[in-house]
Structures are given as C-alpha cells and as structure tokens.
Amino acid sequence: MPRSTTRTRWRLGLATTALLTAAALVPVPAHAETVTDYAVTLDPAAQGAQIDDTMYGVFFEDINRAADGGLYAELVQNRSFEYSAVDNRAYTPLTSWTVDGTAQVLDDAGRLNDRNRNYLSLGAGSAVTNAGYNTGVRVEQGKRYDFSVWARAASGSALTVSLQDAGGVLATARAVTVRKGGWARYRATFTATRTSSEGRLTVASSAATALDMVSLFPRDTYRHEPNGLRKDLAEKIAALHPGFVRFPGGCLVNTGSMQDYSEASGWQRARSYQWKDTVGPVEERAVNSNFWGYNQSYGLGYYEYFRFAEDVGAMPLPVVPALVTGCGQNRAVVDDALLKRHIQDTLDLIEFANGPVTSPWGKKRAQMGHPAPFRLTHLEVGNEENLPAEFFARFEQFRAAVEAKYPDVTVVSNSGPDDSGQIFDTAWQLNRDAGVAMVDEHYYNSPQWFLQNNDRYDSYDRSGPKVFLGEYASQGNAFKNGLAEAAYMTGLERNADVVKLASYAPLFANEDYVQWRPDLVWFNNHASWNSANYEVQKLFMTNVGDRVVPSTATGTPSLQGPVTGAVGLSTWATSAAYDDVRVTGANGDTLLSDDFSGDASRWTHTGGGSWSLQDGQYVQTDTAAENTMVFAGDPAWHDYDLRVKATKKSGKEGFLVAFGVKDTGNYYWWNLGGWNNTRSAVEQAVDGGKSTLISKAGSVETGRAYDIQVKVRGRQVTLYLDGQEWGSFTDDKPAEPFRQVVTEDDRTGDLIVKVVNAQSTQARTAIDLGGARVASRARVTTLAAAPDAVNTETGTAVAPVTSTFTGVANRFTYTFPANSVTFLRIRQR
C-alpha cells in the first residue's frame, strides 16, 4: 500500500451485532403513479459484461499485527526470543517476557538451528512469564490449549508450566520432564478453568535449561490446523466468499534488503518478504523485521496462505519482489546474480504450488501435508514501485521466465502507488506497450473522490491489459465511507470486462497495534468486529451475479460554485520558513499581504508544530510534527492569486501551501516534496479525507528559496513554481450520490438491482425492467445508517436488514432510504 507521509489515516470504532427491524430501514414503496426523483431503466435483452467468479477478493498483509497477534493463532508473543532493535527501537530479545531469577538470551553455537539464532538460557530455580498480546493471553473456560517448547538440559530438568492471571489460576499446571541431552520438543495440554483476557504463561525450571519456541495454541483453530488460524478472524474472511486471496503484501514485499537470511548475507533482519523463508517446520523458518515496525515470525507463511485460500474457496494470488524497493525507499537493486536468484525463486514458488510430488518443491509441499497441487493461476511481481522504468525492466525478465516454463500462469504487473500522475501514466504506457495481461492499481482517496469517479473505467481500452484493483479504500470506517465505496463498486461491476479483480485494503487491524487506518475488520485478543465497510463488501461479494444487465439512471443535478476558501501554510516532518505572502483578487485588489515584519496575528494555528517569527520570516521548527497548518483570510474568497516564498530548513519533506481552505478538514494544498521528498502533488481534503488531483515526481532542496504561485479561477487552478507553470487542474466532477448497477444470477435467474443512495434524503425511483417477466415479490437487503455511524466492539450501527417487497412489476416505484445501499433480488419467470 502507498506509504504517504501526508495521507490522513482514520480509525474505525469497535463492533458487535444488533438486529434492526426491517420497518426501520426499508420504506413503504410509493405507488407507480407517484412523481419520482430518479429513474432506473434496464435493457435485459442487451449483452452486458460477464463477471468472473473471482471478481472480488481480499488482500492480506501483515500490517496492524494482522498475522502474529492476529490471524495466526499463536498466543505467546516473541516465542523464540528473536525480537530485536532492528524490528523496533524499543525491542529487546526479552520483550513481552519477565524473568524471576536468572535468564539470558544467547546467540551462540548452542542454538536450536542456524535460522533460529536466539535461545533462552534459564537458570536453576528460575522462571519466565509471557504477557501475550493486547491485555494478555486469552483463554476460555472449558477449552483446550496446546503448549509446546523446544528444550535441552545438560543433566535433565523438570519444567513447571502454568497459566494464571491477577485473579489466580486459569488451568491446572503441567509438569514437563526435559531429558538429559540435546534439543527436543516437549508438549502439554491445558484445559482452561476460567475465561480471561489477561492471562500469563509461566515456564519454571528446576535446573539450568535452554528454551526456544515457547508456544501456546488454542486447540479450536480454523479448520483445526496444528499451526492454525484464529477462528473468528478466519471465519470473517470465509463469510465474504472471496474469489481470491492476495498475499503477503504490500510494502512487506518490496522493501528492505533483497538478500536471503544466511551467514553469507550477515543474517540480515530487514528483508523483503521471500517465500522460501516461510515454509518448512516453523522452528526452522527465518524471522524478519516487519516494515510496519515490529517483528514477524513467519509462523504464518506461504504454505498456510495457500491452505487458507483453498479452505475458503479462493484463488491464491501471491506477490513477489521485483528488486525495486518502494514505499518511500525507492531504490533499484543492481545485481544480476541476485535478480536471477529471485527469478528462480519465483519459478520454484510455482513448482511448490503446482508441481507434482516427484518435483523438488512439490515434494516439499507434500511433506508439509498437501500432496495435491494448490492450482496457482495468477502471480504478481512487484508492488507500487515509484521507479516505473527500472521496475518494468526487471518485471519483463520475471514475466519471460514464467511464461517460458508456465505459460498458463498470468503474471500481474502494477501501476505505482496512486490513481493518476506521472508515475501512473508511465507505468501504464509500459504495460500497454508490452502487452501485459493484467495491471494492479492502488489508491486511497476521500469519499468524495469515489463518488466523483464512478466512471473511471468506462473509458479504459477494452483490448488492453485488464485491471486488478488490488488496494483501495475511502479513508475512513464510518458508514459514509462504505456508501462511497459501494457507489464506486457499481462502476467496477459495470466495467467487469476490464476490472477483473478487486480487493479492499487493508484487511485486519489489532486495535492496540495500528499503523494504518481504515481497515476492514478490527479485533483485540478476545473479540473481533466488522466495520461498516466490511458490511458493504460482504453485500457485494455475496451477491455478485454472473453478467451485467445494461441499465441507465437519471442523475442528481450538480450545484457547483467556484473554489472558495482562505489560504494556508503547513509542513510535514519538516522545518520550513515562509515569507512575502500575498493574495490578490482577480480584479487586482490586495486581499492579504504579509511580509512578517510585524506579528503573525492574521494567522490561525490549527495543527501541530511550533511557529514563530524569525528574521522577518514565519518559521515552523518542529521536524517531527506531521500537519502544522496555519491559515489566514476569508473562507468566502474566490478567484484569486496566492504567492508565497518558501525555504526548507531541515527534515524529511518540503512545503504544503494551502488554498480553498474552509476549515481544518476541507481544503486543497500543494504538497511540494512530499512522500519523503520524492513527489509533488495537489491534494484535496474533504471532511478530513484526502485525494490526489495532480501528481509529479520531484524533490525540494534544503536552503533554497522557492517562489510559489497558485492561480484560482472558478474551479480551474493553475500552479507556478519559480515563474514556470508546474501544472493545472479543473475540479468540476460532480460527486454523484445516486448510483446503480444491475446483474443477473445464472443459477437462480434473479435480477439483482443494486442501488446506492449516498445522500440524506430518500430517493423515490421509477424502475423499468425493460419487458422482463418477473415475480411480484423481491428479496430486499438494506444497509442504512447515519453517515457518521461506525461499528464498535460493543455496538453494531451498520448491519444488513432483510425484508420482502411485494410490489414488483415490469414497471414499479421503490423509495430507497437516505444513506443506504439496497439490493433487490427479483426472480424472473
């Protein structure tokens, strides 16, 4: 996913289920002769696009503790004492452990194996206790938990293993006898006598003992795998009936070192995700520094991903590194031998997934418990590279090698981290010219952007590469975000001949370990809940249909005036100085002039940071603060020129010059030197959610004074840098709140009329089925709630309500509730 340092992240609330009555959400339809606000007309005889079974899927990345402490069911944190300051500056090998007595983490020849570098030397009469994740180790009364540990003791030892919380014992303690000699694995089983989310696991030793891979697993995992998945989280994915599972990333794939985990590479911890590190016995798998700031154990690895995709009936879609780093690192690795090794690893991956048991990697798969192939058909190379030419040169070598040996496997490319701009255009041109089969697009934008861009794929070349929308979300977990995404999804379905795959991102977030918002499913160590966005995804994913039935709808009148607002200055992780701010009206009148020779009383400080007057300049000095907005002027200003001089003093990025500022959540800004000083863009914030309107590669020099000018005329904006036109845009797309699409289900014969009404008024709608012979009853599923409603651990404000509508005819009227997503399943005769 894009790692924009200026991208607003949002947090969703927490959720449970609540049933609402159908009457509360589904209005009584008006009579056919009633005057209507909208009209939807079908043409069932026309041939619409076929919709593949794999249209909608999920994207899993280990972000927000989605794997360890999340989907991976292991209850012990840092089970192998491998945490390191490389993963997180606060980490030590004993993070999440407390010691009673003497204990030391060692990295020497006595280790369990070369790839499992650390182990614990526990003194006689000593004990270690693990704190688990979130508030502790979660156990439920009457359920069984499997403990295991690798141990060795020179003279033998007796271990006492116990579970307790502040209230006392949680299960009967277990005695484990460690035999004299080398490493061996020992097991015990607990049955919880009480339910607790604050448990602690303690291992005490009678004699000096070496310990590694201290593990506690719930017996009740998804599909009862011995190295299994947390049941409630896995079941939430299964309930979506995903067509595919994209894994393992994301920024995990194309960041860090491309070397392996070996003595030859110096046991590098901060590596790209490489699949061979993640298969085989868990105690022999490598560990790695997770890009998102913690450790990843690889207990959840490629084998488990393949098995899970198979369990939920989804197509596996792995992503491998292309040796061009992204997500702010932006470096092309120049090492032909290393490139060839990664290409061979990719071929070996396909053999691991599909090869016969007589092949080397097919045999490895069989040894892990799955003799049958996983039927891999799609594989993605790279993720959001900001260096399109360098990426594509390497991608072509991967593609050539795969197509030569496995011509039935589709090799997927990508178009960078944004929905538009110089990188996007260059990447798409390279993909088109080379006849690439499928291109992965990613974007995270405001709800308004999704309402404005329903037609995005209407104009895509039908004979060009197909689109995989691998990551998208509308920057929030309120129902208004779900409404905007639902409206956009009607456009995805209408263009199902171009958009072949789509997945919301990210999938999971542990509420106590969050690097990114929004997210589809939220959880802690004892509960999980669906976001409003999840409910939208589930409604679409479980009612896809097999073909599009062409239809048209009337629109909502657009009432757009000129771009209006005050002006502003800001920084992001940067110290900068501003001077000579001048705002001039289109008629030449001076609206604002400030050379900062006096005071800064005209400016209102709404963000973080530290602003002061220094040597006749307005200076922001805090290089850690991420939005330091100050603004001046009248929110009613329109048709004006803004000029300002800006100088970067220190820090990671450049300048943020704002215009059209209405309040702290609604404005435009020219982000010069953003994204770790690699790109410049104009971003629009609407109710706090941002979208990119124009973007180009570029950086800002420290100590150089830049002359910045923004010319606003109506809804047209032109930008000048040092007297030269940098770019322009016209923000005149209407944010259409009423969207619809109709599909047909071949199995049932149902017409599925899908309508999104993303406005706070009802939409009376005349529906013309175009002569289709239909039953008079329709099954209705409705999502309706206040725009700001969120689902929480303790309350479900957004949940589907089902009802029956008996007024269906070839022409009928239906009133769609305010702020709603409604699916009418109409049986054809």
Side-chain angles (χ1 to χ4, degrees), residues 579 594-602 612-614 616-618:
D579 200 0
D594 199 339
D595 63 4
F596 302 108
S597 59
D599 57 31
S601 59
R602 305 184 201 184
S612 62
L613 292 176
Q614 297 181 17
Q617 296 180 313
Y618 202 20

Side-chain angles (χ1 to χ4, degrees), residues 164-185:
Q164 66 285 323
D165 64 7
V169 173
L170 293 172
T172 302
R174 294 289 182 243
V176 174
T177 300
V178 178
R179 299 182 299 274
K180 176 182 177 180
W183 288 102
R185 190 181 187 195

Side-chain angles (χ1 to χ4, degrees), residues 404-421:
K405 190 168 185 180
Y406 300 105
D408 293 335
V409 173
T410 298
V411 184
V412 182
S413 181
N414 77 83
S415 59
D418 287 306
D419 60 86
S420 61

